Structures are given as C-alpha cells and as structure tokens.
Amino acid sequence: MTVTDHKANEIPANENAIWAKALRISLIIVFVLMSIMSFWYGISGDEIDMHAYGKAILQYFTSFGKDTLVFHMPKEFNRDGVIQYYGGLFDLICAVVNKVSPLNEFTTRHLLNAWTGFLAIFFAAKVAMKILNKQAGVSCVWIMFLSPFFLGHAMNNPKDIPFAAAYIAAIYFMIRLFEQLPSPSWKDYLWVILCIGMTINVRVGGILLIPYLLVFAVLGLVLPTPLQEQKVPWKSYVKPLIIVGLCGFFAGSILWPYGIQNPVNNPFIALNKMSDFRMNIVQVYDGVRLLSGELPITFLPKSFLITNTYVVLIGIVLMVCFLWNIRKSNYAIVLYFVLFTAIFPVVYIIYMRSNVYHAWRHELFIFPSIAVVSSVGWVMLSEILQKRGFKYVGIAIVGVLLIEPISFIVSTFPNTITYHNAFVGGIKGAYGNYEMDYYYNSVKQCTDWFTANELKKYKATDTIILATNAPHIVAEYLKDQKNVKVVYVRFSERNQSAWDYVIFHIALIPEDYRLGAWLPSTTKYKAEVRGKTLCAVIKRPSYDDIKGYAALNKKDNDSAITYFARYLIQDPKNISILLKIGHLLFAQSKVDSAFMYLKTAYEIDTTDIEAKRMLGMICVMKNDFSNALSFFNSIVKEDPSYAEGYFYLGMAYEGLGDHETAIYNFKIAVKEPSIAPRCYRVMSDIYKKNNDMANAEEMLDAALQATQNAR
C-alpha cells in the first residue's frame, strides 16, 4: 500500500468487529427497504422516453445493427432531439430484464433503479472506508439512504441515479488502482476501465472521469504522505494513465449505438451537444417563473442547500473545518480527490452557464462523493469527542439529526423527492416558490385512486374522457382500461375542452394557481404532501363552460355570458371563466358589471396579470387614477417589457396632473408599434395643454408617421 495507510485510523479490534457487523446489517436493511419502496413509486417524466429508447437499443444489437430505430426515435419519445446522445446502458439492461421479468415493465424498472441507487450507496460507503474506517462506511450508508431527495430519485430516475452509481464506483476503483502502485494487478486495471466505460455508457459526461486520473496522480505526487511505505515515482503513474484513459474512453461506446458508430469522434460530438443543450424549461425559483436558461448562478448552490438534510450539510461544514488539520495526514490524498469529484463538476457547470433545471437533479452524480465527505466529517468529530471522554456523543448527534428525515420520509412516502428544509420554511414555504414534484411521481397516486374509486362506477360500455396535462404518463397507467380515453389539455384551456374527469399535476400549472384556489369543489382526490396538493383528480363541475365557448364560436356573446355565469355557480373560483365574462361585458360597455367579475378574479388571485390589466383599464376609464397606478405599476414590475402597461401608467399620471412622469411613460410605450400612434397623440395633447406647441406639433407628426408605418 503506497497511497493510504489506515494505521492512524484504526479502532480497537472489538469495536472494528462491531462496526463491520453494523455495516453488513445496514447494507442488508437498506437494500431490502429500497427494494420494497420501489413498488410504490410512479413513472417519472423521463421514463417513458428512456423505456422506449432502451427497447430500441436492444433491437439494434439483436438485429446486429440492421434495426436503426435507435437513431430515428419518434418525436413523442425524443421531444428534445438529444436522446441518441445518451448512452442508455441502464435502459438497455431494463429492456433485457423485462424480457424475463414477471413484473410490470415499469415496476421492474423501478426495482432496478432502486438497486442502482443502492449500488451508489454501497460504493460511497467503500470510499468512506478507504478514507477512515467502517464507522465512516456505516455513517455514509444511513446519511445517503435517509436523504429524501436522493432516495426519491433512486426509485425512478433512469438518467441521474445510474450515472451517480457508475461515477462513484469508478472513483472507488481509481483509488484502489493507485493504491497498488507501482504494481497494480490486471483486475485493478479492468475494474476501473469497466466503471469509466459504464459511466460514459449512461451519460457521455462520464468522459470527465478520464482527466480525473491525472488529478489523482498529481495529488499523489504533490501532497506529503508521511506514513506511506514507499514513495511512488512519477513514471509509475504514466502507464495507468495511458491504459485506463484510452481503454476507458473506448469502453464507453461498446453498448452505445451512437458511440459505436464512430468511437473516436461521436462521444465528443455528443458531449458538445449535451453541454450546449439549450432547451428552456419554465422553472419556479424564489417564487418567480424563469426559463431554465435564465436561472441565476445561485440556482445550484441554493437548490442543494434547501433540499438536503441537516446531517448532510453539517457534515460538510465539519469536514471543511478539519481540512487544515488533515493536510499532512496519510489519507489526505484520497479525501482531497473525493472533494474534487464533488466540487469540480458544479463549479464547471456554473462557469459554463450550462442549462440545468429541476433543483440539482442533473448533479445528483456528485451526491455520493458529498455523502462520503459528510460522513467523514461526522466520524472525525466523533473521534475528537471520544478522546475527550464523550464516547458516543458524536453518534448520538447524528442519530438525533436523522430523526427529521426519517419522519419526513415516513409521513410523505412516496413523495420523498419534495423535501425542503427549514431554510425555506419546509414544504409550506417551498410550495409555489420552488419546483416540487417535477418528476410527476404523484400522478400514480391519482390514477390508482381514479381506477379504484371512480372508474368502477361506470359500465364497460361507457366511454369516459379523462383529460390531463401529463398524458404520456396517465395513458401508460390506464392502457388496459379500454373505456377510458386519455386526452391532453392545458390547464389554461381546461374549460374549452370536452372531458368528464381531469388529472392535473402542478408541474404544468402556473404558480399563481398553486397559491390560489385552482381546485373546484368537485375535486375528488388530492395527492398531497404536508397538506399541499401535488396532483388532483377533478370531476367536471358543469358542461356549461363548453356551451359558453360554443356560443362564442357562433358570436352569440349574450348566450355565452349566460352559460359562463351558470357555470360559475358550480365552480365560483374559476379565474379563467371570471376573466372571460369580464372581457365580454367590457366589450359590451357594461363596465360596472365587468368590474365586478374582474374584481372577484383579482381577489382570488392577486398575482393574475390579466385581472390587474383589465381592472387598471377600467380604473383609468372611471378616473380612479390612484388605483390604476397601483395595478399597472405591479404589472410592469413583473414584466418590464409590457409596453401597454406604460401607456396606461402614462394615462394615470396625466389624470393625476403629473405631466412629466406621464410623458416619461409614454416614451417607453412608443417602442411598441401597435400603440405608438396613441402614445404620440396623447403626448401631443399634453404639450398643447402646457402651451408647448413645438413639441405638440412634433408629436402629432410622429403619430402620423407611426400610423403609416403600422400600415
């Protein structure tokens, strides 16, 4: 052994035996629990696509390359256009196992996903033991398993969990390889090559593991290791760097159809494509809806901070505190290397401004390394306390801190992914301010309830139209229910589509509805976490809304208003219908009646921009300029590009006699061609009132020019 020597970390033989037994028992318990838990988790947002991709990969290999569907996946499974750039190793394994599994295809996938998550825990524990001892391994097992965010993903995340497992396994075997220098065995080479290859075969970003070899070599040459038995010369690092680097790179394409087409160039093409992935997904962050490409650089660090348990976070802090003291220890090389594998990817992603979303799930692969660091921090604190006569205090502190995630997991199962800590007020504070069940796990609870409770009320010959904003998942759950027709409907268009029941998931509902009363009285079931709705089954309150839109199509506005008003009797808090009636009445110059409906909509949800816009316009018409200012200031603060908002601000300020501020706002509004003529005319009138005829004429000429340009 030349890199690490554990003599300084050895514990008495009897205690070591106890911890060894505790490790075995812990691993068995965690394996069994994760296996059982997997049966309750739902199909995730990526699984439908990756399931089809795995089957296509299997077809490609079993046909010896003749079936090329894998390179031309249908749009329904390749919405982002990048699926071929994923290695798909896990999905290929699932496709193979599903050929013989007696379980449902997705149940099988979830079981395999859970086992893959267990492998991540297993290898993280082995790395922790490399650094310290078996106590660190036991701590690592429980810290990872009782991390709700990781645990939730471990059940149904087919991309990030397999990548995390392969990543930490590769790190472990790298450490073991360099431990054996200058004479590692062929098995030491083989294991690290296979693990690097598997990581790339899951996601091409695994290529980063190859330069990690050089990082470890540099650490081994630079850092002092006073207890090592012999100094390793730099030449001894050259051979493993070349062999593992080259073989690991090419191993990454063995079971990857796109990679195997050109093992030299295609991995780099895929890496470039995935690094430059620009598809923007709307995310809720700090209570604001932002495109993922516009998220601030604080997104990843803060997401990690608020979705991890206190035991993980405090363990990291402890490790940071001990860093200086261990700089000359015999295990510093391994610890610093593991720290690097945890920190570098995040720094790189932030520096490159890569497109990430859904909290930090794309960086889940660093969590095993983080768990290792955290567990080592706790064990080092425990050893320090033990030397001062507080033998079990460190262990007791960890045990107490783990009560909180245990309680959360038990009380919210299987929605463990929704965990947020007290830094943002827990679930209550995070709901509506951050993404919650973005992977659609709770949809299973709603479809299961619908099948067991509502569907049985109908005859097999009846046709039930079930609308949803997650049709690809709901259709899979109900594929055997021949009398159920699953249709897609946007939440904002729910009143315009024909359906008998609807299953809505919050991931695709504007955040203002999450915070308001978006659920009608006919809501039959809610999948909840700590009283907050994640997904709901709703029976249609009335069909009068459909009749109202049919009347609108016939331009029979009076009948439409009658139908919509009748619908509101059954669903009085439906903001969409309230706004629709408000618009129709406003168009008929029934301003007072319109104001009543619009005001009701605003009182239900004070964040609704359309309600504020209409109310502000009516306030201007009624010379209620102070309230108009309030409405339009709120609008332009939320959407500074909304030109019409500045127009009405100008009208309000003019009504209050503040000509200068009115002109200022009109000059912003003229940037929108459709309203520029109006802006110039109003400014001309203002200048006339102030006897500034030169500017008045200039504005009038500008109005004429803007009118001609608009034509």
Side-chain angles (χ1 to χ4, degrees), residues 490-519:
R490 292 183 177 88
F491 181 77
S492 60
E493 299 172 355
R494 65 197 183 282
N495 296 108
Q496 303 171 41
S497 303
W499 48 266
D500 302 304
Y501 291 87
V502 69
I503 293 178
F504 277 135
H505 185 271
I506 62 166
L508 298 172
I509 294 177
E511 82 283 357
D512 46 0
Y513 285 102
R514 299 185 204 178
L515 301 174
W518 63 278
L519 295 168

Side-chain angles (χ1 to χ4, degrees), residues 164-295:
Y167 183 80
I168 193 62
I171 290 169
Y172 168 75
F173 285 111
M174 278 186 199
I175 296 168
R176 201 177 77 165
L177 171 69
F178 285 114
E179 274 186 336
Q180 304 306 319
L181 290 180
S183 303
S185 69
W186 66 269
K187 291 182 180 179
D188 295 319
Y189 280 103
L190 180 62
W191 277 112
V192 70
I193 289 169
L194 287 176
C195 287
I196 290 176
M198 286 190 293
T199 309
I200 297 171
N201 262 275
V202 174
R203 187 186 290 170
V204 69
I207 288 175
L208 285 175
L209 286 166
I210 295 173
Y212 282 12
L213 294 162
L214 181 61
V215 172
F216 198 104
V218 170
L219 288 172
L221 292 169
V222 173
L223 291 180
T225 52
L227 296 180
Q228 68 183 29
E229 296 170 5
Q230 64 181 92
K231 188 69 177 177
V232 179
W234 69 269
K235 292 182 180 179
S236 297
Y237 287 98
V238 176
K239 182 179 176 182
L241 287 176
I242 294 174
I243 293 176
V244 174
L246 287 174
C247 294
F249 176 81
F250 288 109
S253 296
I254 291 176
L255 295 174
W256 175 20
Y258 180 77
I260 208 171
Q261 294 292 302
N262 188 331
V264 176
N265 293 327
N266 281 6
F268 291 108
I269 293 173
L271 183 64
N272 181 62
K273 292 285 187 180
M274 297 304 289
S275 299
D276 196 40
F277 182 60
R278 294 301 176 197
M279 180 178 178
N280 278 324
I281 296 177
V282 176
Q283 296 287 282
V284 180
Y285 179 68
D286 279 348
V288 179
R289 288 173 66 81
L290 297 169
L291 292 174
S292 55
E294 300 173 356
L295 290 167

Side-chain angles (χ1 to χ4, degrees), residues 65-81:
K66 293 180 180 179
D67 189 323
T68 59
L69 173 65
V70 70
F71 303 117
H72 312 285
M73 294 295 290
K75 185 70 174 177
E76 62 180 303
F77 301 123
N78 191 19
R79 289 179 292 274
D80 304 336

Side-chain angles (χ1 to χ4, degrees), residues 458-470:
Y458 297 88
K459 299 176 183 178
T461 54
D462 294 334
T463 298
I464 302 98
I465 300 176
L466 176 64
T468 178
N469 55 3

Side-chain angles (χ1 to χ4, degrees), residues 594-609:
F595 186 85
M596 179 184 70
Y597 284 100
L598 295 167
K599 185 172 181 290
T600 301
Y602 176 71
E603 288 172 347
I604 293 171
D605 186 356
T606 57
T607 68
D608 190 272
I609 290 181

Side-chain angles (χ1 to χ4, degrees), residues 45-62:
D46 286 330
E47 276 195 289
I48 299 292
D49 302 346
M50 302 311 291
H51 180 56
Y53 184 49
K55 287 182 175 181
I57 295 174
L58 182 59
Q59 290 170 206
Y60 173 81
F61 284 115
T62 54

Side-chain angles (χ1 to χ4, degrees), residues 260-334:
I260 208 171
Q261 294 292 302
N262 188 331
V264 176
N265 293 327
N266 281 6
F268 291 108
I269 293 173
L271 183 64
N272 181 62
K273 292 285 187 180
M274 297 304 289
S275 299
D276 196 40
F277 182 60
R278 294 301 176 197
M279 180 178 178
N280 278 324
I281 296 177
V282 176
Q283 296 287 282
V284 180
Y285 179 68
D286 279 348
V288 179
R289 288 173 66 81
L290 297 169
L291 292 174
S292 55
E294 300 173 356
L295 290 167
I297 60 173
T298 59
F299 175 71
L300 284 181
K302 183 170 183 179
S303 295
F304 181 85
L305 178 68
I306 65 178
T307 59
N308 267 294
T309 60
Y310 306 115
V311 70
V312 170
L313 299 175
I314 296 173
I316 295 171
V317 173
L318 288 172
M319 190 67 263
V320 171
C321 294
F322 296 138
L323 276 179
W324 181 254
N325 293 333
I326 65 173
R327 68 191 186 283
K328 294 183 179 180
S329 66
N330 58 312
Y331 55 87
I333 294 174
V334 178

